[in-house]
Amino acid sequence: MTDDWRMEPIGHIESPYREGFGIPRQSGIVPAATGILVPTAEWRDPAAWQGIEAFSHLWLVWVFHAKRRMQTGDRKAVRPPRLGGNERVGVFASRAPIRPNPIGLSVVRLIDVQPVDGGVQLHLGGLDLLDGTPILDVKPHVPYADCPADSRGGWASAPPERLAVVWGAAEPWLDQLSPERIALIEQTLAQDPRPAFHDDPERVYGMRIEEIDVRFVVREHRAEIREIVPATD
C-alpha cells in the first residue's frame, strides 16, 4: 500500500472571495456567497452530471491550495475562533484550515446546472471557498444519511452570533451596488471575519470582495463600513 496518492481536480471554483480574510468559516452561513463550479475538460460532459439537479445540496471535496500543510513539529492543537481564540482543542476536533493533509469539505446549495458550449457548469450558493479552489470530487447531499437526528455539535452546537452591519460613510455606495452584492457584503461582515483575538475598535480592516475592497471597523457588536474602494492586485 503506497503512502502517496495522486489526485487530479475535476474542476475549480469561481468565487467572490479573492483572499483568505473574510471567507466564511463554514459553508452555508453566507447564503449570498454564490459562485460557479467550472469542470475540467474531462468532466464537463453533461453525462457526468445527469440527475444532479434533483438534489438541493452537494458535498464538495476540495484542496486548500493557498494554505501550507502541517509540518513535523507543528502543534497538534488549535484555537478555534468560536472559543474566542483562547481555548485549545485537537486539530481533529476542529475545522482549522491548516491540516495534516490540505483537504476541505463543504456543503453548498445547488442553484442551477448551466449548459455552456456543450458542457455544464454548476451555479452554487453558500460558498466558503477561495476563488480558484481546486475541486477533487462532488457528491450529492442525502438528508436521511447526512443529517442524523441524534447528531451533537460539541463546542460548536449553536450558530455563531451575528454582528449588525451599518454602512456609515460608505452609504452612497448603496445606490451603486446591486442588491446581490449588498447582501454578500452584509452577510459576510455579519459573521465577523476578524481573528478571534482581535478586539480593537479603532482598527480598520480591509476585505476583498470580487473587484472591490470593503474597509470597516467593529465596535459594540456591529460592523461599520467606512469606505469601499476598487481593489488593487
Side-chain angles (χ1 to χ4, degrees):
M1 185 174 181
T2 179
D3 291 330
D4 295 317
W5 297 88
R6 181 174 178 81
M7 298 186 183
E8 297 292 340
I10 58 92
H12 72 274
I13 289 290
E14 293 182 354
S15 166
Y17 298 112
R18 306 299 168 80
E19 61 184 20
F21 183 74
I23 294 179
R25 295 187 177 99
Q26 306 291 346
S27 57
I29 65 174
V30 178
T34 62
I36 303 293
L37 168 54
V38 182
T40 62
E42 181 180 2
W43 294 108
R44 63 191 304 271
D45 188 336
W49 307 94
Q50 183 177 353
I52 201 169
E53 66 279 356
F55 297 89
S56 65
H57 292 76
L58 306 173
W59 289 103
L60 303 183
V61 183
W62 48 277
V63 176
F64 284 99
H65 65 299
K67 291 282 187 180
R68 66 177 181 86
R69 292 180 58 177
M70 296 184 88
Q71 303 295 326
T72 301
D74 279 355
R75 289 188 296 268
K76 303 302 188 294
V78 297
R79 298 177 177 179
R82 287 292 302 279
L83 295 177
N86 298 316
E87 187 174 339
R88 291 183 182 275
V89 300
V91 65
F92 298 119
S94 81
R95 299 192 183 189
I98 298 179
R99 321 242 3 127
N101 292 293
I103 298 172
L105 186 66
S106 298
V107 177
V108 297
R109 176 176 291 279
L110 176 58
I111 298 173
D112 191 21
V113 180
Q114 304 170 334
V116 178
D117 298 329
V120 299
Q121 296 180 352
L122 273 61
H123 186 196
L124 306 173
L127 293 178
D128 61 343
L129 304 173
L130 183 68
D131 187 58
T133 294
I135 304 300
L136 297 177
D137 204 355
V138 177
K139 298 177 185 288
H141 180 275
V142 180
Y144 80 86
D146 297 342
C147 302
D150 59 349
S151 176
R152 292 183 292 115
W155 49 266
S157 59
E161 294 183 4
R162 300 280 178 148
L163 299 176
V165 178
V166 297
W167 282 78
E171 188 171 355
W173 276 84
L174 289 171
D175 294 327
Q176 304 179 44
L177 299 172
S178 68
E180 294 78 13
R181 182 71 62 82
I182 293 170
L184 174 60
I185 293 170
E186 291 182 346
Q187 291 177 19
T188 302
L189 287 180
Q191 52 100 31
D192 196 352
R194 300 174 302 161
F197 51 85
H198 282 204
D199 190 22
D200 181 355
E202 301 303 320
R203 180 166 180 169
V204 178
Y205 296 88
M207 180 181 68
R208 173 80 181 267
I209 297 285
E210 295 175 332
E211 76 283 357
I212 59 175
D213 277 327
V214 180
R215 297 175 182 171
F216 65 98
V217 297
V218 178
R219 53 178 58 141
E220 298 179 350
H221 302 292
R222 71 177 191 173
E224 178 184 336
I225 303 172
R226 288 290 183 84
E227 63 177 340
I228 295 178
V229 298
T232 57
D233 294 324

